[in-house]
């Protein structure tokens, strides 16, 4: 059994071929797709966060809106770039959204990826401490967030407050119990996966990772997952570790599916550079008739290792088509692979 969710980047474009023309379209359709996904039996609705781009950002209003419109589905991010975040304010927003959703938030965070502008986090008022990198800053922000989410008091109360305080040091409010154990780290390397396990965060592994050894993408990703689980066990955490992988998977069941994705059937892993120093491997797209797709996915070692699969969706094709894409996987592929 696997949890199966979708992952949307929330693009919008005024192209005549897009059904998501504006920012309003993107956020409102995201809510509608989450509702539709819950209705067809999907387990999760996840959203990528990019700044300075025509894509979804400011995730907490969106997550809260989805939480108010749904009852069962997990709601999450994949991922929030912690270089941009004030961890105290983030803890307040996350706590409120999680309470609205009844404890269904699954927050993926990370050091981020190359953005639309140079050092965009500086425009948000953040810069690394002397001697630190932006990645160091992201991890320090994350460590503060994790500590705050524990719910322990740390702030000295005013002796003459406007409102009566509970006894002792004060914590950030609203506090949502259990949210600390539902934080995920988007790891691009084996080392950062191990670091995530040491911090007690679940592992979120994307469709790309640092190329460490030259093996096929799914093999490298499976090795990363095994390293994470070993480190988790060594760290002695009491809650169960979870691992998600993202994939672009399209079951070709209609003429429209073939028109959109029929040419992706010969897709293969790609290798490139995400910055001047980081060689990365990018996973393939899976697109085929269901019986062929089942055979291909059965050989994906990383999917076999993970407990959660996030299906990336082409959100600009509209809510109805994306609901069809997701339903096709649940109906024609998942049962044969033992995911359902």
């Amino acid at each position: 059994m696997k949890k199966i969710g979708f992952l949307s980047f929330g693009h919008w474009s005024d192209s005549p071929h897009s059904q998501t023309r504006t920012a309003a379209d993107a956020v409102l359709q995201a809510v509608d797709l989450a509702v539709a996904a819950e209705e067809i039996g999907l387990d999760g609705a996840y959203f990528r966060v990019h700044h300075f781009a025509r894509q979804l950002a400011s995730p907490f209003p969106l997550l809260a809106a989805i939480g108010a419109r749904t009852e069962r589905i997990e709601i999450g991010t994949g991922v929030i770039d912690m270089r941009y975040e004030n961890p105290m304010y983030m803890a307040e927003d996350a706590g409120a959204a999680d309470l609205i959703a009844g404890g269904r938030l699954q927050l993926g965070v990370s050091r981020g990826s190359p953005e639309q502008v140079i050092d965009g986090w500086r425009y948000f008022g953040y810069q690394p401490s002397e001697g630190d990198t932006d990645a160091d800053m992201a991890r320090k922000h994350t460590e503060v967030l994790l500590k705050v989410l524990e719910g322990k008091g740390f702030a000295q109360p005013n002796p003459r407050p406007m409102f009566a305080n509970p006894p002792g040091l004060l914590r950030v409010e609203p506090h949502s119990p259990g949210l600390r154990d539902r934080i995920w780290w988007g790891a691009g390397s084996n080392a950062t996966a191990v670091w995530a396990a040491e911090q007690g965060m679940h592992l979120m592994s994307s469709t790309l990772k640092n190329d460490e050894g030259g093996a096929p993408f799914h093999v490298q990703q499976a090795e990363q997952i095994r390293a994470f689980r070993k480190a988790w066990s060594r760290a002695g955490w009491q809650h169960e570790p979870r691992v998600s992988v993202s994939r672009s998977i399209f079951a070709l069941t209609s003429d429209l599916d073939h028109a959109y994705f029929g040419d992706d059937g010969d897709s293969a892993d790609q290798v490139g550079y995400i910055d001047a120093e980081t060689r990365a491997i990018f996973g393939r797209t899976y697109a085929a008739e269901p019986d062929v797709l089942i055979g291909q996915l059965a050989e994906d070692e990383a999917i076999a290792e993970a407990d959660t699969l996030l299906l990336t969706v082409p959100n600009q094709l509209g809510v109805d088509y994306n609901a069809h894409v997701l339903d096709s996987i649940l109906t024609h592929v998942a049962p044969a692979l033992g995911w359902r």
Side-chain angles (χ1 to χ4, degrees):
M1 299 291 288
K2 289 192 188 299
K3 289 184 179 292
I4 303 175
F6 73 81
L7 174 63
S8 173
F9 281 49
H11 297 277
W12 71 86
S13 167
D14 58 6
S15 163
H17 303 291
S18 174
Q19 295 192 42
T20 310
R21 303 288 185 87
T22 67
D25 289 340
V27 292
L28 294 173
Q29 289 177 18
V31 176
D32 289 342
L33 182 57
V35 171
E38 182 172 78
E39 290 175 350
I40 65 175
L42 217 67
D43 302 302
Y46 288 75
F47 301 91
R48 184 70 167 90
V49 177
H50 274 123
H51 301 289
F52 301 106
R54 292 185 174 186
Q55 299 176 40
L56 294 173
S58 57
F60 293 107
L62 175 61
L63 297 174
I66 294 172
R69 288 278 308 277
T70 58
E71 296 180 356
R72 177 192 57 81
I73 197 169
E74 292 183 342
I75 306 163
T77 52
V79 291
I80 297 173
D81 187 335
M82 292 301 291
R83 296 175 295 181
Y84 288 78
E85 294 296 323
N86 177 324
M88 299 289 183
Y89 193 67
M90 182 178 177
E92 292 181 342
D93 278 350
D98 195 40
L99 291 170
I100 290 169
R104 290 181 283 134
L105 226 55
Q106 303 283 341
L107 286 183
V109 301
S110 83
R111 57 110 24 224
S113 59
E115 294 289 310
Q116 298 299 105
V117 300
I118 297 170
D119 296 345
W121 29 267
R122 295 186 185 275
Y123 295 96
F124 279 53
Y126 302 110
Q127 61 181 14
S129 302
E130 185 175 353
D132 282 351
T133 66
D134 60 319
D136 294 329
M137 178 175 66
R139 292 188 184 98
K140 288 181 177 179
H141 286 181
T142 302
E143 288 167 353
V144 173
L145 175 68
L146 294 175
K147 190 69 176 175
V148 171
L149 289 178
E150 291 176 359
K152 298 176 182 177
F154 60 88
Q156 189 67 41
N158 188 334
R160 300 180 64 185
M162 181 178 296
F163 308 105
N165 284 323
L169 300 176
L170 303 182
R171 67 186 184 188
V172 163
E173 300 286 0
H175 172 68
S176 184
L179 180 55
R180 166 59 179 85
D181 292 342
R182 286 180 272 117
I183 307 299
W184 305 57
W185 182 259
S189 68
N190 292 355
T192 52
V194 169
W195 177 81
E198 293 169 347
Q199 308 308 309
M201 290 185 287
H202 307 292
L203 176 62
M204 188 169 279
S205 196
S206 183
T207 51
L208 68 89
K209 71 176 295 292
N210 294 7
D211 188 9
E212 300 176 270
F217 170 76
H218 72 100
V219 175
Q220 292 196 44
Q221 195 174 45
E223 292 172 350
Q224 181 193 50
I225 294 169
R226 288 190 286 269
F228 165 80
R229 293 191 186 279
K230 183 177 180 180
W232 185 283
S233 177
R234 188 167 57 243
W237 295 102
Q238 296 304 304
H239 57 297
E240 287 295 317
R242 289 184 59 184
V243 175
S244 74
V245 295
S246 302
R247 291 291 186 273
S248 297
I249 304 174
F250 301 98
L252 306 182
T253 63
S254 70
D255 290 343
L256 191 57
D257 295 333
H258 280 273
Y260 281 139
F261 301 107
D263 292 339
D264 291 329
D266 296 327
S267 171
D269 293 348
Q270 300 180 48
V271 174
Y273 285 83
I274 58 175
D275 58 41
E277 299 178 351
T278 307
R279 175 183 165 99
I281 184 167
F282 300 77
R284 58 169 294 185
T285 293
Y286 291 96
E289 286 78 9
D291 56 339
V292 176
L293 202 56
I294 289 163
Q296 293 173 342
L297 293 172
E299 297 178 355
D300 190 308
E301 293 183 17
I303 293 179
E305 290 280 352
D307 57 80
T308 301
L309 173 63
L310 300 182
L311 304 170
T312 60
V313 294
N315 73 283
Q316 289 186 81
L317 296 181
V319 173
D320 290 344
Y321 183 73
N322 277 287
H324 156 74
V325 166
L326 298 170
D327 188 52
S328 292
I329 299 299
L330 292 183
T331 302
H332 301 294
V333 176
L337 289 165
W339 300 347
R340 280 290 185 271

